[in-house]
């Protein structure tokens, strides 16, 4: 049976996230977009509201939100400010490998700090020479008795400069290539972690992005997630699960742009009538509304599959790719409706357009999403 209505619990979650976005994120979004300061005040409130631990299972003190619920709140939080959303989402992304592959002991040990106070985690997969080609990782984690010794550099790591915990993908067996990659939990206070300069980004400026270098970083073997050599699968399964949240963020950013454009088009008078009465404007609005609805359905379908434990790699990639493309197209068209005002920083449109761009790039570029989708649709070729 298909049911498009949200349950009372889901509506309450949506309202709660919307209120938070409206009252705490939106009023501070421009300020943090312009400065180079991490929004600690807003994030402290996000922690208190449970957004920073919402994917930690309830038995370990978290919110235990399922995937559809996560998609619902992601749309609202990105509607509030995509940069702040990214700081929250990237931490959930980094905790997901522990949710999926952690032992009971690892979950108890490493989730506790996230449920007790504001903390952030960082997912360390990307390297300078291993971006889309994630399997080309060069970082090494060589075994020395009961420890791994990690050496290498990870770049564009969201929360890299502020994280208390890193999930590092490194070669434990360089001879085996992609099957020699392992996922290792690395606490920030381990000696040998060097934080590079914070990246000066075009958008999502409220989030921290930095290079993280590991120089002879020794962590106990018990910090290994899953088995040795399973790291690439851990990364791929994690991304299969989290990419729908990026699609949801695309819907949130696009919806914000559409709402601003509608409001403006109804009050902006040119040639003696509101510009909403010109067919050019009205049709742009219709197109944006259609695409946003379609994107949300893709996101919710992917999340619905995840909640049922069904294969969702293709659907997750579709929702991420389509949702972020819709965010890009919608913000461009909405800005056009604002004309010259849209280009000015006093208005919200240019930030939304800058923020939309990153959604097409992070958690796997949209070219990679199309690769994932097409590989599954085409299947093996003899
Ligand atoms: N689930 C489970 N296993 C998967 C998988 C998935 N979603 N995707 C790949 N694998 C497995 C494959 O089955 C293969 O296993 P075997 O060697 O046992 O056959 C192995 O992983 C290697 O996969 P594949 O050959 O497809 O690897 P490729 O290098 O060709 O491509 C892509 C993998 C391009 C899909 C991957 O590198 C990718 O997603 N890149 C983008 C990385 C990314 O999103 N970065 C953002 C960082 S987080 S902000």
């Amino acid at each position: 049976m298909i049911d498009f209505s949200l349950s009372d619990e889901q509506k309450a979650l949506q309202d709660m996230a919307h209120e938070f976005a409206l009252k705490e994120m939106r009023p501070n979004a421009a300020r943090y977009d312009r400065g180079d300061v991490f929004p600690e005040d807003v994030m402290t409130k996000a922690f208190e509201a449970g957004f920073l631990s919402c994917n930690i299972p309830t038995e370990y003190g978290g919110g235990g939100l399922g995937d559809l619920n996560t998609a619902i709140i992601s749309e609202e939080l990105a509607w509030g400010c995509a940069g702040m959303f990214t700081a929250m989402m990237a931490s959930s992304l980094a905790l997901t490998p522990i949710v999926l592959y952690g032992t009971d002991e690892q979950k108890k040990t490493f989730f506790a700090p996230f449920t007790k106070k504001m903390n952030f985690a960082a997912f360390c997969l990307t390297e300078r020479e291993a971006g889309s080609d994630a399997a080309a990782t060069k970082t090494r984690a060589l075994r020395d008795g009961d420890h791994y010794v990690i050496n290498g550099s990870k770049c564009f790591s969201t929360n890299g400069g502020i994280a208390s915990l890193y999930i590092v993908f490194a070669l434990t067996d360089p001879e085996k290539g992609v099957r020699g990659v392992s996922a290792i939990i690395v606490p920030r206070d381990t000696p040998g972690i060097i934080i590079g300069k914070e990246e000066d980004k075009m958008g999502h400026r409220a989030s921290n992005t930095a290079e993280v270098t590991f120089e002879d970083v020794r962590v106990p073997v018990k910090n290994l997630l899953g088995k040795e050599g399973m790291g690439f699968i851990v990364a791929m399964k994690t991304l299969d699960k989290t990419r729908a949240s990026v699609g949801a963020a695309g819907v949130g950013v696009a919806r914000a742009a559409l709402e601003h454009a509608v409001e403006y088009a109804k009050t902006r008078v040119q040639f003696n009538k509101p510009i909403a009465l010109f067919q050019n404007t009205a049709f742009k609005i219709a197109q944006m509304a259609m695409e946003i609805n379609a994107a949300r359905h893709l996101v919710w379908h992917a999340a619905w599959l995840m909640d049922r434990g069904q294969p969702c790699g293709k659907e997750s990639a579709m929702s991420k790719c389509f949702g972020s493309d819709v965010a890009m197209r919608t913000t461009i068209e909405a800005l056009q409706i604002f004309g010259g005002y849209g280009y000015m920083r006093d208005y919200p449109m240019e930030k939304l357009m800058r923020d939309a761009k990153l959604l097409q790039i992070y958690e796997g570029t949209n070219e990679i999403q199309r690769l994932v989708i097409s590989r599954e649709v085409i299947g093996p070729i003899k």
Side-chain angles (χ1 to χ4, degrees):
M1 195 177 80
I2 293 178
D3 184 353
F4 290 102
S5 56
L6 299 183
S7 68
D8 288 346
E9 186 205 348
Q10 286 166 331
K11 277 192 210 129
L13 253 179
Q14 190 179 45
D15 287 348
M16 201 259 275
H18 186 76
E19 279 295 293
F20 185 84
L22 185 69
K23 297 205 171 122
E24 308 294 345
M25 297 170 86
R26 280 230 170 151
N28 292 302
R31 180 161 63 97
Y32 285 111
D33 177 54
R34 280 163 209 194
D36 289 320
V37 183
F38 188 70
E40 259 193 70
D41 52 349
V42 182
M43 290 300 140
T44 303
K45 290 180 180 165
F47 165 74
E48 286 160 3
F51 294 126
L52 298 185
S53 57
C54 59
N55 75 328
I56 294 176
T58 46
E59 58 268 40
Y60 299 99
L65 283 196
D67 296 297
L68 185 51
N69 288 343
T70 301
I72 290 167
I73 65 165
S74 295
E75 177 180 332
E76 300 309 317
L77 298 176
W79 176 92
C81 172
M84 294 180 200
F85 160 80
T86 286
M88 300 185 222
M89 178 278 295
S91 193
S92 297
L93 159 72
L95 295 177
T96 298
I98 308 181
V99 174
L100 293 178
Y101 294 94
T103 61
D104 181 52
E105 194 196 332
Q106 287 172 334
K107 287 177 183 172
K108 277 187 190 138
T109 308
F110 295 111
F111 285 154
F114 290 84
T115 59
K116 294 202 172 97
K117 67 189 264 287
M118 181 181 72
N119 269 304
F120 292 87
F123 188 77
C124 293
L125 176 66
T126 303
E127 298 180 6
R128 298 249 161 227
E129 306 298 329
S132 290
D133 186 7
T137 188
K138 295 277 185 298
T139 297
R140 289 192 174 202
L142 297 185
R143 185 93 182 237
D144 180 19
D146 289 341
H147 285 78
Y148 289 113
V149 182
I150 306 178
N151 278 288
S153 262
K154 299 288 180 176
C155 66
F156 303 146
S157 176
T158 307
N159 296 333
I162 56 157
S164 62
L165 195 74
Y166 299 95
I167 303 299
V168 181
F169 295 88
L171 286 164
T172 42
D173 190 345
E175 304 293 306
K176 290 192 180 155
V178 68
R179 290 181 193 194
V181 176
S182 300
I184 302 170
I185 306 169
V186 183
R188 168 72 181 96
D189 54 11
T190 318
I193 298 176
I194 300 156
I195 309 296
K197 80 166 176 62
E198 184 180 347
E199 301 290 352
D200 189 8
K201 304 191 295 292
M202 169 182 165
H204 294 240
R205 293 181 56 83
S207 69
N208 171 285
T209 310
E211 186 164 59
V212 186
T213 298
F214 301 87
E215 263 184 28
D216 290 331
V217 171
R218 289 177 75 85
V219 288
V221 167
K222 66 177 184 188
N223 286 15
L224 175 73
L225 278 166
K227 295 199 173 73
E228 266 194 17
M230 255 184 79
F232 193 71
I233 307 286
V234 173
M236 292 299 111
K237 288 276 182 207
T238 296
L239 292 167
D240 280 352
K241 208 166 166 60
T242 56
R243 280 174 178 157
S245 293
V246 181
V251 176
V253 168
R255 200 182 98 212
L258 172 65
E259 287 169 6
H260 286 305
V262 167
E263 200 185 312
Y264 183 78
K266 281 158 84 169
T267 50
R268 170 72 171 165
V269 173
Q270 287 291 275
F271 305 103
N272 302 317
K273 57 182 183 181
I275 61 169
L277 292 175
F278 290 102
Q279 197 178 62
N280 180 59
T281 312
F283 281 13
K284 274 192 201 300
I285 287 170
Q287 185 68 26
M288 293 183 225
M290 270 193 283
E291 293 195 7
I292 290 169
N293 233 13
R296 184 182 296 111
H297 283 107
L298 276 181
V299 169
W300 285 8
H301 179 233
W304 180 87
L305 288 172
M306 284 176 213
D307 276 336
R308 276 155 189 74
Q310 292 178 21
C312 62
K314 177 181 69 176
E315 288 76 9
S316 193
M318 284 178 172
S319 69
K320 190 273 181 191
C321 185
F322 193 75
S324 56
D325 281 352
V326 164
M328 198 68 249
R329 282 198 291 273
T330 304
T331 53
I332 288 172
E333 288 296 68
L335 190 148
Q336 190 68 16
I337 288 175
F338 271 74
Y341 293 104
Y343 205 67
M344 303 300 149
R345 296 185 85 185
D346 293 340
Y347 289 79
M349 296 311 308
E350 58 85 35
K351 174 183 185 300
L352 289 167
M353 193 173 139
R354 285 185 283 111
D355 286 345
K357 190 66 217 165
L358 186 58
L359 301 175
Q360 294 182 305
I361 297 170
Y362 71 12
E363 285 210 34
T365 62
N366 282 3
E367 289 72 20
I368 288 297
Q369 309 311 316
R370 288 182 168 88
L371 180 82
V372 170
I373 297 163
S374 59
R375 276 182 179 178
E376 200 174 320
V377 172
I378 296 168
I381 302 172
K382 282 180 195 160

